Amino acid sequence: MELLTIIKKLLYMDLPDAIRAAQLKQVSIHPGIFHILISELKKERKLRYVLTPIERQVYDLKEKGMNRNEIAKALLNQRKQ
C-alpha cells in the first residue's frame, strides 16, 4: 500500500489539528505513520550493511527516481571519469 494512501486513511480525522500545529510551527507524527517510518529506516540501515558498494550506489540512484537506463548511464559515466 502506498504511503500516501495510508496517510490519507490514518489522518483524515486529524487534519484540522495537524493544520493548527503546522501553523504554530509544531511538528507531530501520527502513531501509525511513525511505525511505518521507523520500519523503513530500519530497512535502510540494514541495507547499508548488506549491499556491496556498487549495489548501494544502484539503490541510491533508484531512490532518487532514476530508471534502469538512467542508472546504467550514470554508472557508465562514473567509470569513465
Side-chain angles (χ1 to χ4, degrees), residues 1-12 30-34 36 40:
M1 183 177 284
E2 188 177 317
L3 184 59
L4 290 177
T5 304
I6 295 169
I7 290 171
K8 287 178 189 175
K9 288 182 179 181
L10 290 174
L11 296 181
Y12 76 96
H30 190 280
I33 301 303
F34 176 78
I36 292 167
E40 291 300 315

Side-chain angles (χ1 to χ4, degrees), residues 48-60:
R48 289 176 195 238
Y49 300 108
V50 175
L51 299 178
T52 66
I54 190 69
E55 290 170 333
R56 181 68 192 173
Q57 202 171 9
V58 170
Y59 176 81
D60 290 339

Side-chain angles (χ1 to χ4, degrees), residues 13-31:
M13 298 284 290
D14 297 329
L15 190 56
D17 291 335
I19 292 170
R20 287 185 201 98
Q23 186 177 16
L24 297 171
K25 299 190 189 304
Q26 298 172 342
V27 178
S28 62
I29 299 177
H30 190 280

Side-chain angles (χ1 to χ4, degrees), residues 32-79:
I33 301 303
F34 176 78
H35 292 294
I36 292 167
L37 290 174
I38 293 299
S39 172
E40 291 300 315
L41 287 172
K42 285 180 180 177
K43 282 186 210 174
E44 176 76 18
R45 185 176 293 155
K46 190 175 188 179
L47 284 175
R48 289 176 195 238
Y49 300 108
V50 175
L51 299 178
T52 66
I54 190 69
E55 290 170 333
R56 181 68 192 173
Q57 202 171 9
V58 170
Y59 176 81
D60 290 339
L61 294 172
K62 182 68 176 164
E63 286 297 301
K64 289 181 182 177
M66 290 184 168
N67 64 35
R68 293 176 82 177
N69 290 334
E70 293 168 331
I71 292 171
K73 286 178 187 176
L75 293 175
L76 186 60
N77 288 338
Q78 279 186 335
R79 282 194 160 178

